[in-house]
Amino acid sequence: MVEARNNDTRERILDAAERLFMAHGYEGTSMRQITGEAGVNLAAVNYHFGSKETLIQEVFRRRLDWLNEERLRVLDELEREAAGQPLKPSQIVDAFFGTMLRMAEDESRGGMTFLRLLGRTLAEPSEFIRGFLAHEYKTVVDRYKEALFKALPDVPKAEIVWRFHFMLGATSYAIAGTDALRLVTDWQIEPEDSVDRLDRLLPRLMSFLIGGLRAQLPQFPDAAVDR
Amino acid sequence: MVEARNNDTRERILDAAERLFMAHGYEGTSMRQITGEAGVNLAAVNYHFGSKETLIQEVFRRRLDWLNEERLRVLDELEREAAGQPLKPSQIVDAFFGTMLRMAEDESRGGMTFLRLLGRTLAEPSEFIRGFLAHEYKTVVDRYKEALFKALPDVPKAEIVWRFHFMLGATSYAIAGTDALRLVTDWQIEPEDSVDRLDRLLPRLMSFLIGGLRAQLPQFPDAAVDR
DNA sequence: CTATGATTCAAACGAACGTATGAATCATAG
DNA sequence: CTATGATTCATACGTTCGTTTGAATCATAG
């Protein structure tokens, strides 16, 4: 039997698709752009991946498999060291969001390009990719929710889930780097302070996330005494 | 001379476009879907708006003009009442983000549909719409940045800009309501706790944002003494 | 009523889309 | 070497895209 000898074409397609989906979105990127940038024949995508839908799923799986395993590994390690004691919220936040952001420095795992694609896609999921991402993340998210519940026993669980949601939003937007309102881009900021400098973005974002996670609990309007 | 008699068609197109762009994104929505849902002829969009690009700009302008005027009005009012004293950060955050979120209850200003569209678009701006949004927001954002600088004199300005950025991300994601990882949607949450219940989302988000804005300042790794 | 200009309409335009086809080319097993 | 099956290639398929056209219809001014 004759087996596959060359996954160079596959990798070139995945790299080009990753970059173009990041820059122009899923619907905004055509197969001809992808194969053109990858330097392969138009038919190669359908031959190797079947369809455009399975292609973008492969683009994500290639990176997310590692990320989610790493997130579980880091959380396991933290819980092992804590020996039953609840973790600090900042440890959990760093294990989830920090692990993701540090991918930006690892070019072999997609670097900033994949991170931006991920941030974009979390905010604009096509119907079919929403289900795919939710499935990919299910195990990890459940583990981290439980860890946060234990770390913050005084905070209602529903509140923690919402704040996890908000943290995810702040992070997605930060790494997507679109900066629609030119808040940061238009600002007199040193070049070394730009989004690309992860070692400055990461501490800033972490401070913000932990501040939000540990904020005072909200007062709901229907909590008034006369009701 | 004969003048325009009927802007019913225009409004029907804008309403349909607003809803469809929200649901499927800009590239993912076709002119035929829009005119089909609006119950008008296919050529009506180009006749009334010129192109798909100018159409989505009109969709935004119709709502954003009011929102941004209102944001300036509220800030003016707050500063008038404060009579020179710096405002509380929570007042500024509520004036900017609260004013936006309260649009969800005003169906005549687009309600939740427009809010979701806005949240989505802030995170996935096509190149041409990024510039448009930045221009629409310029005046407002500058005023609010200044107000935050005054309200938080001890926080470095660059830090405030970044945190504004993070707050915008958390809010965009929250109102876009995509919930890609099914964090909130998959959770055992009372129906009355869902995203649609603004009176519960708003206090929750405000607490989170203010917690993040007032968080401890970050420690940068290169702040070590031996450097 | 008639004339005028705004609006609607059915139909078509060329371009770009994702996908499929079948022959040509390639690397390796036997 | 030859045979085999994986891969590449040029080309074309059928759809759908945003936009345009020119005639038909409409409401109003004169």
Side-chain angles (χ1 to χ4, degrees):
Chain A
M1 110 153 228
V2 179
E3 56 217 35
R5 288 144 278 169
N6 162 343
N7 44 7
D8 193 52
T9 301
R10 279 182 61 97
E11 294 294 320
R12 294 171 63 85
I13 291 173
L14 288 172
D15 289 345
E18 184 172 77
R19 204 193 68 73
L20 287 166
F21 286 148
M22 177 274 285
H24 308 117
Y26 176 73
E27 316 258 19
T29 303
S30 73
M31 304 287 254
R32 285 165 179 82
Q33 284 177 274
I34 294 170
T35 53
E37 174 148 331
V40 304
N41 187 272
L42 170 61
V45 173
N46 289 285
Y47 176 76
H48 284 282
F49 300 96
S51 71
K52 195 183 177 186
E53 287 206 4
T54 33
L55 169 62
I56 194 174
Q57 291 189 15
E58 259 313 295
V59 168
F60 277 106
R61 196 194 323 279
R62 179 171 69 145
R63 312 294 190 194
L64 284 185
D65 280 356
W66 177 86
L67 172 62
N68 283 330
E69 276 168 30
E70 180 71 5
R71 277 168 161 162
L72 290 178
R73 196 190 61 71
V74 172
L75 188 56
D76 284 339
E77 172 84 2
L78 286 176
E79 289 181 337
R80 197 183 55 74
E81 284 170 3
Q85 294 298 311
L87 299 175
K88 287 165 60 185
S90 63
Q91 291 180 295
I92 303 173
V93 170
D94 183 76
F96 191 88
F97 295 101
T99 299
M100 171 164 59
L101 263 75
R102 280 183 286 271
M103 282 182 82
E105 284 173 330
D106 190 343
E107 219 54 53
S108 78
R109 300 212 153 81
M112 192 51 104
T113 303
F114 173 70
L115 227 54
R116 287 198 159 127
L117 170 62
L118 184 56
R120 271 201 110 161
T121 310
L122 284 175
E124 53 148 338
S126 311
E127 199 53 37
F128 82 91
I129 217 168
R130 195 191 310 238
F132 168 74
L133 283 181
H135 175 262
E136 279 274 306
Y137 269 99
K138 179 92 172 68
T139 311
V140 177
V141 162
D142 285 349
R143 281 283 314 276
Y144 272 82
K145 276 201 289 208
E146 286 303 324
L148 283 172
F149 293 162
K150 273 192 202 144
L152 296 161
D154 300 333
V155 182
K157 292 185 176 184
E159 211 63 48
I160 293 177
V161 173
W162 277 105
R163 288 178 177 192
F164 200 165
H165 191 62
F166 298 149
M167 290 192 288
L168 190 63
T171 306
S172 298
Y173 191 81
I175 63 180
T178 51
D179 193 15
L181 304 194
R182 306 261 163 86
L183 261 170
V184 175
T185 317
D186 241 27
W187 179 247
Q188 55 270 43
I189 268 184
E190 310 290 318
E192 63 201 281
D193 253 24
S194 83
V195 188
D196 303 319
R197 278 295 301 275
L198 181 74
D199 59 334
R200 302 194 72 82
L201 172 63
L202 185 56
R204 284 187 158 122
L205 181 60
M206 286 299 142
S207 291
F208 180 86
L209 295 183
I210 291 158
L213 179 59
R214 315 215 47 168
Q216 271 204 292
L217 291 182
Q219 304 286 341
F220 295 110
D222 59 351
V225 279
D226 58 337
R227 295 190 44 157
Chain B
M1 106 155 233
V2 179
E3 58 217 33
R5 288 145 277 169
N6 163 343
N7 45 7
D8 193 53
T9 300
R10 279 182 61 97
E11 294 294 321
R12 294 170 63 85
I13 290 172
L14 288 172
D15 289 344
E18 184 171 77
R19 205 193 66 74
L20 287 165
F21 286 149
M22 178 274 284
H24 309 116
Y26 175 74
E27 316 257 19
T29 303
S30 73
M31 303 287 254
R32 285 165 180 83
Q33 284 176 274
I34 295 170
T35 53
E37 175 149 329
V40 304
N41 187 271
L42 170 62
V45 172
N46 289 284
Y47 175 75
H48 284 281
F49 299 95
S51 71
K52 195 183 177 186
E53 286 205 4
T54 34
L55 169 62
I56 195 174
Q57 291 189 15
E58 259 313 296
V59 168
F60 278 106
R61 196 195 321 281
R62 178 170 70 145
R63 312 294 189 192
L64 283 185
D65 280 355
W66 177 86
L67 172 61
N68 283 332
E69 277 168 30
E70 181 70 5
R71 275 168 162 161
L72 290 178
R73 197 190 61 73
V74 172
L75 188 56
D76 283 340
E77 173 83 1
L78 286 175
E79 289 182 336
R80 198 183 53 74
E81 285 171 3
Q85 295 297 309
L87 299 174
K88 287 166 60 184
S90 62
Q91 291 180 295
I92 302 172
V93 170
D94 183 76
F96 192 88
F97 296 101
T99 299
M100 170 164 59
L101 264 74
R102 280 184 286 269
M103 281 181 83
E105 285 173 329
D106 191 343
E107 220 52 54
S108 77
R109 297 210 155 83
M112 192 50 104
T113 303
F114 173 69
L115 226 55
R116 287 200 160 127
L117 171 62
L118 184 56
R120 272 201 112 166
T121 310
L122 284 174
E124 54 149 337
S126 310
E127 199 52 39
F128 81 92
I129 217 169
R130 196 191 310 238
F132 168 73
L133 283 181
H135 175 263
E136 279 275 305
Y137 269 99
K138 180 93 172 68
T139 312
V140 177
V141 163
D142 284 349
R143 281 284 313 277
Y144 272 82
K145 276 201 289 207
E146 286 303 323
L148 283 172
F149 294 161
K150 272 190 202 147
L152 296 161
D154 299 332
V155 181
K157 291 185 178 184
E159 212 62 48
I160 293 177
V161 173
W162 278 104
R163 289 178 176 192
F164 201 165
H165 191 62
F166 298 149
M167 290 191 288
L168 190 64
T171 306
S172 299
Y173 191 79
I175 63 180
T178 51
D179 193 15
L181 304 195
R182 306 260 164 86
L183 262 171
V184 175
T185 316
D186 241 27
W187 179 245
Q188 56 270 42
I189 269 184
E190 310 290 318
E192 62 200 286
D193 253 26
S194 83
V195 188
D196 305 319
R197 278 294 301 275
L198 181 72
D199 59 335
R200 302 193 72 82
L201 172 63
L202 184 55
R204 284 189 159 120
L205 181 60
M206 285 300 141
S207 290
F208 180 86
L209 295 182
I210 291 158
L213 179 60
R214 314 216 50 169
Q216 272 205 291
L217 292 182
Q219 303 287 340
F220 295 110
D222 60 348
V225 279
D226 59 334
R227 295 190 45 156

